[in-house]
Amino acid sequence: MIIELEWRQMLKSLVIWTIIFTLVIWGFSAIYPQMHTSAFSELVNGKVDSLSPALLKTFNIEGSGIASFTTAIGFFAYYFQYLFLAACCFVLLNSTQELIKEESDGTIEFLYALPITRSEIFVKKVGLVLVNSALFWLIAFLNALGATVWFKATSDHTNQIIQKLSLIFGQELVVLWLLISIGFFLSSWLKSNRQSIGISLGIVFGIYLIGILSALTDTFAWLENWSFIHRTLPSKLITDSLSIYYSIGLVGLGALFLLGGYARYTKKDLVNK
């Protein structure tokens, strides 16, 4: 019963977010063919060349190479970095609200009436959020792949698009896992559901701003690895994918947060068994 109720609530937000992502992805991809007109290419290249390298690095803009505006992958990477930030907010907000919302909404009494423990609640809620997030990310990937291939230029190679987009979505999935784990850890400590929005947005954009700071000057370059959101932006992953050790570290850190949230939430059982 709890799974059915939770899934119905999640399905509404899943549908809304996937529709928004689908429209934005196809809308921006439809602009890409205009990049290959001579007049527009000269305008873009002239503007990019006139900007300082530090500014270009801050906003993840490449003037040449595979990550430039003149390639389908580079164009996708530029606009999708903002969608990736939105996806981070989506999964973190979902997981941060998940454990505390019954107490905030006053529906905790319903769970008290069921023969269920906090341990079971935690596991089921984590499973539902993971499935919901995986479906959302899979749909986003399929739309990105379809739109990018559909609007690609003759100079773009389909195999390369498939390879790079698979790499981007696969490695960004590790970040989404970590954010989900952080969200459940925070949800086990929050006093009210209303706190989740500000905390979630603060975490995502705070971590992202740390990455921007690392790009502004060499003095703070060491902060880049701490900003795992900025480190896994599409434009960075195209040319510099994550190392296996860094990926394992993010997965392990996510597991620790999840275990911490589990330990916190299961201190008090709803029923004694």
Side-chain angles (χ1 to χ4, degrees):
M1 181 179 293
I2 185 175
I3 294 179
E4 294 178 359
L5 292 175
E6 288 290 333
W7 179 250
R8 288 176 185 174
Q9 293 177 356
M10 290 183 181
L11 189 58
K12 294 179 182 179
S13 63
L14 175 62
V15 170
I16 293 172
W17 277 81
T18 51
I19 290 175
I20 292 173
F21 263 59
T22 298
L23 293 176
V24 173
I25 288 171
W26 283 88
F28 271 97
S29 297
I31 300 174
Y32 174 68
Q34 304 301 319
M35 303 291 292
H36 288 272
T37 62
S38 58
F40 198 80
S41 295
E42 285 183 18
L43 175 64
V44 171
N45 292 331
K47 292 297 183 182
V48 169
D49 292 339
S50 65
L51 298 175
S52 67
L55 186 62
L56 294 176
K57 187 177 180 181
T58 300
F59 291 98
N60 305 294
I61 300 174
E62 294 289 340
S64 60
I66 191 174
S68 70
F69 283 130
T70 56
T71 68
I73 299 172
F75 184 75
F76 163 81
Y78 178 73
Y79 78 77
F80 194 77
Q81 64 181 319
Y82 303 107
L83 290 180
F84 177 54
L85 288 176
C88 290
C89 294
F90 171 67
V91 299
L92 183 58
L93 188 58
N94 273 354
S95 54
T96 305
Q97 292 179 334
E98 196 58 33
L99 298 178
I100 191 62
K101 65 181 180 181
E102 278 84 10
E103 297 177 25
S104 295
D105 297 341
T107 57
I108 190 67
E109 291 81 5
F110 171 74
L111 295 181
Y112 275 110
L114 299 176
I116 191 171
T117 63
R118 282 186 177 269
S119 176
E120 292 173 310
I121 293 173
F122 185 91
V123 172
K124 289 179 179 180
K125 284 180 176 287
V126 169
L128 285 172
V129 170
L130 289 176
V131 170
N132 182 69
S133 301
L135 283 174
F136 165 71
W137 203 234
L138 176 61
I139 295 171
F141 168 68
L142 294 176
N143 275 288
L145 187 61
T148 305
V149 172
W150 182 269
F151 292 106
K152 73 180 182 68
T154 54
S155 57
D156 298 311
H157 302 288
T158 301
N159 291 337
Q160 187 181 52
I161 292 174
I162 295 174
Q163 179 186 6
K164 291 297 184 181
L165 262 61
S166 299
L167 175 69
I168 290 170
F169 276 84
Q171 297 198 17
E172 288 181 342
L173 186 61
V174 177
V175 171
L176 298 183
W177 151 257
L178 176 54
L179 290 173
I180 289 171
S181 302
I182 293 174
F184 274 99
F185 177 78
L186 292 173
S187 189
S188 66
W189 287 89
L190 291 179
K191 301 294 184 181
S192 171
N193 193 30
R194 290 174 294 182
Q195 298 174 312
S196 60
I197 297 178
I199 291 175
S200 298
L201 294 178
I203 289 175
V204 170
F205 288 101
I207 294 174
Y208 177 69
L209 289 175
I210 290 174
I212 291 180
L213 182 62
S214 70
L216 289 175
T217 173
D218 293 337
T219 306
F220 299 105
W222 59 275
L223 288 173
E224 181 179 17
N225 288 329
W226 291 94
S227 178
F228 52 86
I229 293 177
H230 194 271
R231 175 63 184 84
T232 51
L233 291 177
S235 57
K236 291 184 174 292
L237 294 179
I238 289 175
T239 56
D240 185 19
S241 60
L242 301 181
S243 68
I244 185 65
Y245 300 106
Y246 191 82
S247 300
I248 292 175
L250 294 182
V251 173
L253 186 60
L256 289 176
F257 272 111
L258 203 60
L259 289 173
Y262 177 84
R264 168 68 180 174
Y265 190 71
T266 55
K267 280 184 177 181
K268 295 180 180 179
D269 281 339
L270 294 176
V271 294
N272 294 321
K273 289 189 175 183

